[in-house]
Amino acid sequence: MTGKKTAFLVLAALFITFFSGCRREEKIFFEVSEDTVTVYGYVKDYTGNPIEDAEITILPTGDKIKSEKDGLYRFSIGLGELPADAVITYVVEKSGFVPSRASISFSELLIGTNTDIAVQKRVKRQDVVLFPPAEIEVEVVDKDNKPVAGSRVLVLPSPQIALYLGVSLNESVASITSQTSPVKITSGIPAIDFVQLLAFPPQGSEEDYDISTAQVNVSQIKTKGKVVLQLKPLEIVYSSVAVGQFISPDENIKLIFSKEITGINAQLICNGFPVNLTANITGAEVEIDPAGRILGNCLLTVNNAFGEKGETLTGPYFYNFIAYDPNAPRGLACPDITPYLPGSVTAVSFEPPLFFPPPFLQVIYYSPAPDRFDGFIITSTSQTILIWDPPAVRGIKEFKVKYLKESEKLKGSGIWQEPTAGVVIQYIPHLNKWVASLDFTSLPFDISYGEKYYIAVVPVNLNDEEVCNPENIPTPFTIQDNTPPRITNCLITTPNYSAGTRTIQVQFLERLTSAKSITITSRNFEVIKISEVFDPIAFLPSLQLQVYLEPLSAKIPADPENANGDNKLLLLNDEAKKLWVGELVDVRRVDGTIFFNIEVTAIIEGLANSIVWFDTPILGDAQNGAVVPRTTNSLQSPNNRNLYVLDAAGKRLEVSDATGLTIGDRIQVADPFSNTRKILTIKSVNYFPPDPPEITVAEDISDLKCNSNNKLCLFRSFNPDVSIKVEAYDTSGNLISSIADQCSVDGGIIW
């Protein structure tokens, strides 16, 4: 008994402590034992006020108690009366409120190994809040907001109301039948949270309407609920085309709907192109008539349809099918195919893309363009589009693209093969043409070595028979490399005038078999080649050179003009060519005096001597001295600059930038306005910022039409600081082109 007394005292102390913070002090004592379970709590209304004389019925014993003045209720049940896994259920009722059902599981009160703790847990507080009944005015209407009589409406509880009433979520708590005026529900539903109204269509209208729902908030006690009966959506119950089915190109498509319709929204696409169509509607049947013939892979999409009462389709319906001619003839000739771009594929680019790993092929088309230095307009694409016309289409189910390798054809062992990937064939209805797209990143052959391939299109009839022999094609489409390889880039480490060893990387457009007769030239450096490494299978194919560069100094001759302390020096023409406009130099006199960091501003060529102008006076006697370039000067290769004619008679041209130019330089000028390309030799360069720089040339420039800022010519220099000329051969034995065999170390190509 000692343990029981201790538990009682502890429990009493806990209750005293718990209720000491309430509005008034009270003491609640329970007879606690190992053989009973005690439940207590307070009954309150939804505003928090206590409810006196609320009747509590304990199930399943049927005992009844009432709440006290402060709303307190309590009862005990002996453990021997019910099994240990039983649930205590009791109903709390009070006039003016909806009865609430509460439950407590024995199992949550019988946890514990220590006897005293187990006894304490057999006391459970559970307050009960009672809510008044909600008054719901329910109305059922159609889509036009007209009342519908005869609909049965069930009221389903929210989780909170279901817990309050002690029912399941799918158990209705009220039911009415709709009338032409609203019907009220006044009892049985507590004014908590929300309820779901579930309306069943009236008898005889089940084919027109679906079961419809509406959610109503009943927490305000008085509320209105409206359920709009939803029309049953339309469905397509039959289609004359099915997934993978074949139909005739002239055949109409029949659809049958679940109900009569008044309109339809449909789209037909064959081989990626939309097809115009008309629809003939007869009740629930629709006949779709494509405009003209349809061929190849087709997709019919029915986006929507409209019933007589306003019904719409459940959602888009999709039908994939293939249209072909069932009367496929035999023995047709292979069609003549032409590329989307003129000419055959003439070269392959290896420029690496940004997001794709190698190898990545780009087919290149060339056409003449005199206004560009490379002599071509280049159109690059990783796909080639081939086009052909009927009559080969007539009676043909589909086409195949086949290829033949030139080297195997010459050996007599070649056969026409069909690629398993990289080819998409489509029929374009509005053009009445077939097209084939060749994806060169997916085709099973590699054209990067200059190998030639022939491409043919072979019709296939209904019996999957090939109806032409590609061997008889007089001029099949070709994929080949019939242009020489090109240099695409030229890079150098340490691109300035300091003396030392450099690495030069030369990259080529396509794979090569050899690179020989490599010549390195410079106007301002002594060049010594140390080594070379050729890697023809690299991506991109490359040539790596090791060279030693020593910048040249210009000698100052003994002449009175070089001792007068002004801004110019008189140099021999060959010495003046070692300098360029914009260059930073040091002038070193014989006595050891050095004039540092002077800029060359103009070079004017004479018969034997040139005048070189500087931005700073050369004080004292500079005879027999030298003009030495500063190591901070960048390597020069004047490319892709603009000019226009200032004075044709004086052979004067204004240039966008004269930096890096010097006398004796040969520049190539491209004039897009006269389709003229000229090579000019510079006689003088004047650069006086901020005035526009000018050059004079030795040749006639009267045929150049670029004579204002709105008509500009392009020019490039043939005399960069360092240039590389390579004699290289591709895998087809083509020698590198003479107009594309040199590059300058700034990355530019010399044409």
Side-chain angles (χ1 to χ4, degrees):
M1 292 298 295
T2 303
K4 292 183 179 180
K5 292 180 179 179
T6 304
F8 173 79
L9 293 175
V10 171
L11 184 61
L14 288 173
F15 277 115
I16 292 171
T17 303
F18 179 82
F19 287 101
S20 64
C22 298
R23 289 177 295 176
R24 59 188 179 84
E25 293 187 4
E26 59 181 325
K27 296 181 181 179
I28 301 173
F29 296 96
F30 296 99
E31 294 181 2
V32 180
S33 73
E34 297 179 1
D35 303 321
T36 62
V37 169
T38 300
V39 180
Y40 80 98
Y42 290 87
V43 181
K44 302 177 182 180
D45 64 16
Y46 65 100
T47 62
N49 296 317
I51 297 177
E52 182 182 3
D53 291 333
E55 186 174 82
I56 296 97
T57 303
I58 297 96
L59 304 177
T61 65
D63 295 334
K64 297 181 183 291
I65 62 171
K66 288 194 175 184
S67 62
E68 299 177 6
K69 185 176 182 180
D70 57 359
L72 176 69
Y73 75 93
R74 54 190 166 184
F75 61 85
S76 298
I77 294 181
L79 293 177
E81 299 178 24
L82 295 172
D85 60 350
V87 176
I88 305 171
T89 302
Y90 55 98
V91 179
V92 183
E93 300 176 89
K94 178 70 176 180
S95 177
F97 298 93
V98 177
S100 177
R101 181 180 292 249
S103 297
I104 296 176
S105 172
F106 269 29
S107 60
E108 67 176 284
L109 301 172
L110 300 178
I111 300 172
T113 55
N114 181 280
T115 303
D116 294 338
I117 295 176
V119 170
Q120 295 170 31
K121 286 182 176 290
R122 289 173 192 163
V123 177
K124 173 71 174 180
R125 174 175 174 172
Q126 183 160 283
D127 295 343
V128 178
V129 179
L130 295 181
F131 284 82
E135 182 179 301
I136 311 172
E137 188 178 88
V138 180
E139 184 180 22
V140 180
V141 299
D142 61 15
K143 66 180 182 63
D144 298 320
N145 204 35
K146 294 180 180 179
V148 178
S151 288
R152 185 187 175 203
V153 181
L154 300 181
V155 183
L156 299 181
S158 69
Q160 192 172 349
I161 292 178
L163 180 64
Y164 182 95
L165 297 176
V167 298
S168 63
L169 289 174
N170 58 359
E171 181 179 348
S172 65
V173 295
S175 172
I176 63 160
T177 300
S178 70
Q179 306 297 326
T180 54
S181 58
V183 180
K184 290 186 178 180
I185 300 173
T186 58
S187 64
I189 302 173
I192 319 171
D193 206 20
F194 66 90
V195 294
Q196 197 82 11
L197 302 181
L198 194 66
F200 295 83
Q203 187 175 2
S205 299
E206 294 87 353
E207 294 297 321
D208 294 326
Y209 294 102
D210 265 336
I211 299 173
S212 306
T213 64
Q215 185 172 290
V216 181
N217 185 346
V218 298
S219 62
Q220 300 301 317
I221 300 180
K222 288 190 176 184
T223 186
K224 293 183 179 181
K226 179 184 288 187
V227 183
V228 180
L229 286 180
Q230 301 296 319
L231 289 166
K232 278 190 174 180
L234 296 169
E235 295 180 351
I236 299 176
V237 297
Y238 169 79
S239 169
S240 63
V241 292
V243 176
Q245 180 180 350
F246 289 84
I247 72 167
S248 168
D250 301 311
E251 186 176 332
N252 291 346
I253 302 168
K254 178 179 285 189
L255 303 174
I256 299 179
F257 289 81
S258 56
K259 302 169 70 172
E260 292 187 0
I261 67 170
T262 59
I264 185 173
N265 179 349
Q267 182 184 39
L268 178 61
I269 295 177
C270 289
N271 288 307
F273 295 91
V275 178
N276 293 328
L277 52 85
T278 57
N280 182 26
I281 301 174
T282 306
E285 295 188 8
V286 178
E287 188 171 17
I288 295 176
D289 183 8
R293 295 170 60 85
I294 55 176
L295 289 166
N297 294 311
C298 297
L299 170 64
L300 173 66
T301 304
V302 183
N303 297 301
N304 206 348
F306 309 96
E308 293 182 332
K309 295 184 178 181
E311 304 95 324
T312 57
L313 205 61
T314 53
Y317 281 70
F318 303 97
Y319 301 97
N320 291 282
F321 61 95
I322 299 174
Y324 70 97
D325 192 334
N327 301 312
R330 303 181 184 181
L332 292 179
C334 295
D336 292 331
I337 56 177
T338 56
Y340 179 73
L341 295 170
S344 296
V345 181
T346 56
V348 180
S349 169
F350 277 88
E351 297 178 7
L354 295 176
F355 305 110
F356 298 95
F360 184 83
L361 308 180
Q362 284 188 312
V363 181
I364 298 181
Y365 293 89
Y366 292 110
S367 61
D371 58 317
R372 293 174 61 92
F373 289 112
D374 57 9
F376 299 97
I377 291 177
I378 303 175
T379 301
S380 298
T381 176
S382 60
Q383 289 189 331
T384 293
I385 306 297
L386 305 179
I387 306 172
W388 64 97
D389 299 323
V393 169
R394 302 299 181 184
I396 299 303
K397 180 180 72 173
E398 61 184 0
F399 287 87
K400 294 180 179 179
V401 170
K402 292 199 165 188
Y403 68 92
L404 176 66
K405 194 174 183 180
E406 165 72 4
S407 59
E408 294 177 352
K409 178 184 178 182
L410 295 176
K411 296 175 185 176
S413 60
I415 60 172
W416 288 88
Q417 302 180 60
E418 183 181 353
T420 57
V423 177
V424 177
I425 301 176
Q426 294 178 310
Y427 174 70
I428 310 176
H430 64 276
L431 297 178
N432 197 26
K433 292 180 182 293
W434 284 87
V435 299
S437 174
L438 276 63
D439 184 350
F440 282 88
T441 63
S442 302
L443 290 175
F445 47 80
D446 184 0
I447 58 177
S448 60
Y449 288 100
E451 179 70 80
K452 181 184 291 186
Y453 286 83
Y454 299 100
I455 298 293
V457 170
V458 180
V460 178
N461 67 11
L462 178 60
N463 299 318
D464 293 321
E465 298 169 325
E466 298 178 6
V467 296
C468 77
N469 185 356
E471 290 286 354
N472 299 329
I473 299 177
T475 56
F477 180 77
T478 57
I479 300 174
Q480 61 183 333
D481 184 359
N482 58 9
T483 59
R486 292 180 165 216
I487 295 174
T488 60
N489 208 356
C490 215
L491 302 174
I492 189 171
T493 57
T494 317
N496 59 33
Y497 265 58
S498 60
T501 301
R502 309 285 208 282
T503 298
I504 299 175
Q505 191 86 7
V506 182
Q507 292 177 333
F508 299 91
L509 179 67
E510 60 185 90
R511 297 173 184 172
L512 306 174
T513 53
S514 65
K516 54 186 179 180
S517 300
I518 302 165
T519 305
I520 305 173
T521 59
S522 175
R523 62 178 181 177
N524 293 332
F525 287 91
E526 290 286 349
V527 181
I528 300 174
K529 185 172 69 173
I530 301 173
S531 65
E532 63 184 61
V533 177
F534 176 56
D535 189 354
I537 62 173
F539 186 85
L540 297 168
S542 63
L543 172 67
Q544 189 176 89
L545 306 172
Q546 291 285 329
V547 298
Y548 182 84
L549 300 181
E550 180 73 39
L552 300 176
S553 300
K555 298 178 182 178
I556 304 174
D559 191 287
E561 286 289 334
N562 297 329
N564 56 13
D566 58 9
N567 287 55
K568 66 179 185 298
L569 292 174
L570 185 69
L571 304 181
L572 294 173
N573 288 339
D574 287 343
E575 296 298 316
K577 291 177 183 179
K578 298 176 183 178
L579 305 175
W580 41 268
V581 168
E583 182 178 14
L584 296 177
V585 297
D586 297 337
V587 177
R588 300 183 180 180
R589 299 194 318 195
V590 175
D591 62 4
T593 305
I594 301 176
F595 294 92
F596 292 101
N597 213 22
I598 302 172
E599 184 179 11
V600 178
T601 58
I603 305 174
I604 302 172
E605 184 181 33
L607 293 176
N609 300 312
S610 298
I611 298 176
V612 180
W613 291 85
F614 302 92
D615 65 343
T616 302
I618 312 300
L619 302 178
D621 187 358
Q623 297 181 93
N624 297 314
V627 182
V628 181
R630 295 186 65 84
T631 59
T632 55
N633 287 315
S634 298
L635 296 177
Q636 295 296 306
S637 180
N639 285 327
N640 297 311
R641 299 183 187 177
N642 297 319
L643 59 75
Y644 68 89
V645 177
L646 279 176
D647 178 8
K651 301 179 180 179
R652 293 171 52 224
L653 297 141
E654 181 176 309
V655 296
S656 59
D657 185 2
T659 305
L661 297 178
T662 189
I663 59 171
D665 270 357
R666 296 169 68 245
I667 61 172
Q668 183 185 39
V669 178
D671 183 353
F673 309 103
S674 61
N675 286 333
T676 301
R677 214 166 355 176
K678 298 179 70 71
I679 296 177
L680 306 176
T681 305
I682 296 177
K683 302 296 292 183
S684 68
V685 187
N686 290 283
Y687 179 46
F688 297 101
D691 295 333
E694 297 179 11
I695 63 173
T696 61
V697 296
E699 293 78 14
D700 178 21
I701 57 174
S702 60
D703 55 345
L704 295 178
K705 302 299 183 184
C706 44
N707 50 26
S708 71
N709 287 325
N710 294 325
K711 291 184 178 181
L712 299 176
C713 290
L714 288 174
F715 77 92
R716 288 179 176 175
S717 172
F718 278 108
N719 301 101
D721 280 340
V722 179
S723 64
I724 297 92
K725 182 178 177 64
V726 181
E727 183 181 276
Y729 293 85
D730 69 8
T731 53
S732 295
N734 296 317
L735 176 64
I736 197 167
S737 172
S738 60
I739 66 166
D741 61 357
Q742 297 182 65
C743 65
S744 54
V745 294
D746 68 336
I749 312 303
I750 305 171
W751 311 104

